[in-house]
Amino acid sequence: MPGTPMKHFIQYCRETGCPFLEQEPLSRHTSFRIGGPAALFLQPTETCQLPGLIEAVRASGLPWTVMGNGSNILASDEGFPGVVIQIGSKFASIALEGETSVRCQAGASLTALSRFAAEHSLTGLEFACGIPGAVGGAVFMNAGAYGGEISQRLVSVVQAVIPKEGKPFLETIPAQNLEFSYRHSKYQNPQSAAVIAETVFCLEKGEKEASLARMEELLKLRREKQPLEFPSAGSAFKRPAGSYASLLIDQCGLKGLRVGDAQISEKHAGFIVNLGNASCREVLELVSQVQKIVWEKAGFCLEPEFRLLAPAAI
């Protein structure tokens, strides 16, 4: 059969009804607003599509990767030469499951999930209302804020398992098997070969107005303290043992440090912001400078919290 692997895979997407975009700028899909074009950008809508998509893209030999809504991603200025599967806004259904449980696809935003819970008089996810990410990404990194972590309310995950041999398949795994710790889950382990598809959260009966008021209070705190007026990937560095990244960066006099249009926020030292036309290269250079100075002056090694978009090693 004539044609390139990419053409064959595009034909598969058409036949299976999976929406896609060709040469789609990743800057449109990352909160940093940075990144060149993905050769093929997939936006699946149904959980049942994932095993087949993954099997087909592996068989094609094309480089590929998976991303959420891009709130914790730094994409290359050159873009991505293969297939990006986005578990994002088209993969974002949320529904009640019983009286106090909520099931949602991994592309649902944490804001949408927390508001859905509050509107149904369920409490326990108010802390997540302003975290700028999707549910899948939140599970991946055990996202948290204001004393809450996603692992505290998660019951189970439906994942697309990618075996070394054989076809990918869907599997439900309980939350206690996900090796949660601070900003970590088993999905970050190199040997993990699975894509988060759906999640189930167990909440408690509460008062709608009280939950909405608490969420507005937390959102106000974010607006006051964080540089939400500029594109960023949220907190740029993980919290090191024994201190806080923002405190160390501030104490080292690095607020406002710039490389091109990438800057350590003058409002909150834990953020790297895009002042307009920052590039991936500029962000990485700024990260390198901050790491070097903080290590030399304070003796702490800072690790970036965002991740680079790279081909899957599975």
Side-chain angles (χ1 to χ4, degrees), residues 53-95:
L53 279 174
I54 294 169
E55 180 184 9
V57 74
R58 290 176 84 194
S60 74
L62 296 166
W64 66 285
T65 192
V66 178
M67 65 176 284
N69 71 358
S71 64
N72 202 41
I73 291 289
L74 178 61
S76 166
D77 301 318
E78 290 72 37
F80 192 83
V83 178
V84 175
I85 301 174
Q86 186 195 39
I87 309 299
S89 60
K90 293 183 183 294
F91 200 91
S93 66
I94 306 174

Side-chain angles (χ1 to χ4, degrees), residues 12-93:
Y12 172 85
C13 293
R14 290 194 176 107
E15 291 171 355
T16 56
C18 178
F20 65 87
L21 299 165
E22 296 183 69
Q23 295 300 318
E24 176 67 5
L26 290 168
S27 59
R28 295 177 181 171
H29 302 279
T30 62
S31 58
F32 247 144
R33 297 294 179 257
I34 292 171
L40 194 66
F41 191 81
L42 305 188
Q43 296 176 298
T45 58
E46 303 293 336
T47 299
C48 61
Q49 291 176 323
L50 292 183
L53 279 174
I54 294 169
E55 180 184 9
V57 74
R58 290 176 84 194
S60 74
L62 296 166
W64 66 285
T65 192
V66 178
M67 65 176 284
N69 71 358
S71 64
N72 202 41
I73 291 289
L74 178 61
S76 166
D77 301 318
E78 290 72 37
F80 192 83
V83 178
V84 175
I85 301 174
Q86 186 195 39
I87 309 299
S89 60
K90 293 183 183 294
F91 200 91
S93 66

Side-chain angles (χ1 to χ4, degrees), residues 206-288:
E207 296 292 332
K208 173 182 174 180
E209 295 306 321
S211 291
L212 291 174
R214 176 56 176 162
M215 289 162 60
E216 183 52 42
E217 177 185 351
L218 295 180
L219 288 171
K220 182 181 178 183
L221 286 174
R222 284 182 176 273
R223 288 192 294 267
E224 290 174 351
K225 295 181 178 181
Q226 298 180 5
L228 303 182
E229 64 272 26
F230 293 108
S232 77
S235 296
F237 298 95
K238 295 181 181 179
R239 185 178 68 200
S243 189
Y244 293 90
S246 59
L247 177 63
L248 292 167
I249 294 167
D250 196 5
Q251 289 176 339
C252 289
L254 299 179
K255 267 188 176 180
L257 180 66
R258 285 181 65 169
V259 175
D261 266 2
Q263 182 189 52
I264 297 298
S265 169
E266 296 178 328
K267 187 174 185 180
H268 190 306
F271 284 66
I272 291 176
V273 296
N274 178 356
L275 297 179
N277 293 295
S279 66
C280 176
R281 181 193 61 77
E282 290 170 348
V283 171
L284 293 178
E285 174 59 27
L286 182 58
V287 166
S288 178

Side-chain angles (χ1 to χ4, degrees), residues 192-203:
S192 178
V195 176
I196 301 165
E198 294 181 6
T199 56
V200 176
F201 294 91
C202 184
L203 306 175

Side-chain angles (χ1 to χ4, degrees), residues 97-117:
E97 192 166 88
E99 290 189 357
T100 58
S101 292
V102 176
R103 178 181 292 270
C104 64
Q105 287 182 308
S109 73
L110 288 169
T111 298
L113 172 61
S114 57
R115 289 198 176 280
F116 178 92

